[in-house]
Amino acid sequence: MTAGTSLTHGTTTAEHELAALQREHGGPLFALLLRLSDGDRQRAEDLVQETLVRAWQHPEALHADDFDSVRPWLLTVARRLAIDARRARQARPPEVGDEVPENARVTADHAERAAEMLDVREAVKTLTPEHRDVLILVYFCGASVAEAAQTLGIPPGTVKSRAYYALRALRRVLPGYAADLR
């Protein structure tokens, strides 16, 4: 009977050989792959199946006269498959679900940010020049109070009070942005 010949009820000798391989070598294969998969049972089971598929695809390795047992060949194939799977997982970024992590920053889309910037620019134009200068130096240019005071030639306390009153005026002009201006 040849390897593909049907025996009973649609099963072939190849299927019987594969089932025998699973019975005889499945336990040691699973144990090895479980260790190589860091305890991930599902991944280990998938790799056992893939190893057996490789054995089915290469019947010449199963019937070679060079060795007494096919187990060393199966273990080598299993180990290589586990290494390839680990490399593939490390090569791509981890998958995330639909949930947004608690610490993730939520950013608005580009159009919304552009509209907000225009609103803020228009609101800043409504400030007095003294308040606007302080606000631009401190909040938009990132200058410290001392640097702004030196640039404008005014005391640091005046810079602080002008910044306070400028933000207060912006809160009135931009009521929807009040939380961002605190």
Side-chain angles (χ1 to χ4, degrees), residues 22 25-53 74-86 89:
Q22 168 67 35
H25 304 289
L29 277 173
F30 181 74
L32 170 71
L33 291 168
L34 188 61
R35 281 194 321 269
L36 294 176
S37 300
D38 299 324
D40 185 343
R41 295 183 67 81
Q42 183 64 44
R43 186 170 291 126
E45 290 172 3
D46 289 345
L47 290 171
V48 167
Q49 287 182 354
E50 182 62 28
T51 302
L52 293 174
V53 166
L74 287 171
L75 293 175
T76 300
V77 169
R79 184 178 61 80
R80 289 180 180 165
L81 286 171
I83 290 169
D84 289 346
R86 180 174 296 226
R89 280 191 317 278

Side-chain angles (χ1 to χ4, degrees), residues 36-110:
L36 294 176
S37 300
D38 299 324
D40 185 343
R41 295 183 67 81
Q42 183 64 44
R43 186 170 291 126
E45 290 172 3
D46 289 345
L47 290 171
V48 167
Q49 287 182 354
E50 182 62 28
T51 302
L52 293 174
V53 166
R54 297 287 172 94
W56 178 70
Q57 291 172 338
H58 298 282
E60 70 278 1
L62 301 178
H63 302 292
D65 295 330
D66 296 345
F67 44 85
D68 296 331
S69 174
V70 73
R71 185 174 290 176
W73 183 86
L74 287 171
L75 293 175
T76 300
V77 169
R79 184 178 61 80
R80 289 180 180 165
L81 286 171
I83 290 169
D84 289 346
R86 180 174 296 226
R87 285 181 183 156
R89 280 191 317 278
Q90 291 173 345
R92 67 174 188 239
E95 298 175 8
V96 294
D98 293 337
E99 324 73 51
V100 176
E102 291 177 19
N103 59 353
R105 290 180 48 201
V106 179
T107 57
D109 64 4
H110 179 67

Side-chain angles (χ1 to χ4, degrees), residues 116-165:
E116 288 172 357
M117 286 177 22
L118 289 174
D119 290 346
V120 171
R121 282 185 184 194
E122 290 302 313
V124 169
K125 288 180 185 177
T126 65
L127 299 174
T128 65
E130 294 83 14
H131 289 115
R132 185 173 42 244
D133 292 343
V134 167
L135 201 65
I136 289 172
L137 280 173
V138 173
Y139 288 97
F140 297 115
C141 296
S144 68
V145 172
E147 292 169 340
Q150 184 178 8
T151 303
L152 296 172
I154 57 176
T158 305
V159 171
K160 290 179 186 179
S161 67
R162 285 184 184 174
Y164 170 80
Y165 286 111

